[in-house]
Amino acid sequence: MTEDRRLPPALAAVAECAFDYDDGIDFEPYTEFSSVEDTRSWIRSWTGNQELDGSEFRVFGQDGTGGLAMFWTVREGADLVDQPVVFFGSEGAVGVVARDLAAFLWLLADGLGPMEVVEHADADPNPNEELRDVAEKFAADRRQSGVDVLADVRREFPDFEATVTAWCR
């Protein structure tokens, strides 16, 4: 049996969108999830902790420096699209970006990418019409501003950075 690396339809639609760093979002979506082996290797390297297997993460994109965006499968029994989206920067910054895929779509539609909201808390929204169309197609009933997306997720997961720091060796 092979691992399923197919993206959910909404993320596959995001991967078809054009991202231009000059427009404010430094994000390069993947066309499939990273492999189990690549994710394990990455988390061990990032944390220095060889005991971690990375199984709670599904990596689906990166920024231009190599920081990674992914689902964090912390909600037991929840579907993948209902798991929070997190970001691990190439220089050590970490943060929860959105409470689920729908919220992540609206964050992108507002012109905010994972790296921007974690590494540049004062990043200004720059709405993106193509990404708004994707959000409306897949999450019309969950519309919210990027500011609200971030407020929600930070209330729900205030200790994510401390959790990640505890994994580091």
Side-chain angles (χ1 to χ4, degrees):
M1 185 171 138
T2 60
E3 68 179 297
D4 185 0
R5 294 178 57 191
R6 291 175 296 173
L7 298 175
L11 268 184
V14 167
E16 293 176 6
C17 294
F19 284 84
D20 183 351
Y21 177 74
D22 292 334
D23 289 339
I25 302 177
D26 183 0
F27 183 59
E28 301 168 15
Y30 296 166
T31 57
E32 64 182 4
F33 287 113
S34 291
S35 70
V36 169
E37 296 81 18
D38 287 347
T39 302
R40 180 180 356 197
S41 176
W42 158 78
I43 193 68
R44 288 177 176 177
S45 176
W46 201 95
T47 63
N49 185 340
Q50 299 305 303
E51 296 173 16
L52 298 175
D53 67 6
S55 61
E56 67 272 26
F57 298 109
R58 298 296 308 271
V59 180
F60 62 80
Q62 67 180 47
D63 69 6
T65 68
L68 299 176
M70 65 201 75
F71 287 111
W72 177 34
T73 59
V74 68
R75 294 186 180 117
E76 189 173 330
D79 290 337
L80 186 61
V81 298
D82 295 323
Q83 300 288 351
V85 174
V86 299
F87 178 78
F88 283 73
S90 63
E91 300 299 319
V94 297
V96 184
V97 173
R99 70 177 327 274
D100 56 23
L101 180 55
F104 183 66
L105 296 176
W106 285 109
L107 187 75
L108 292 174
D110 218 12
L112 297 167
M115 184 274 290
E116 288 80 17
V117 300
V118 170
E119 295 188 9
H120 307 288
D122 60 347
D124 291 323
N126 183 20
N128 181 298
E129 187 174 326
E130 185 179 18
L131 292 166
R132 187 199 69 226
D133 291 345
V134 171
E136 287 177 353
K137 178 178 180 180
F138 292 97
D141 61 333
R142 304 275 307 279
R143 178 187 294 265
Q144 62 183 143
S145 71
V147 170
D148 289 341
V149 167
L150 295 172
D152 286 351
V153 77
R154 289 179 179 155
R155 272 192 302 274
E156 185 174 0
F157 298 102
D159 300 323
F160 179 71
E161 187 173 353
T163 297
V164 173
T165 299
W167 296 336
C168 295
R169 303 288 180 255

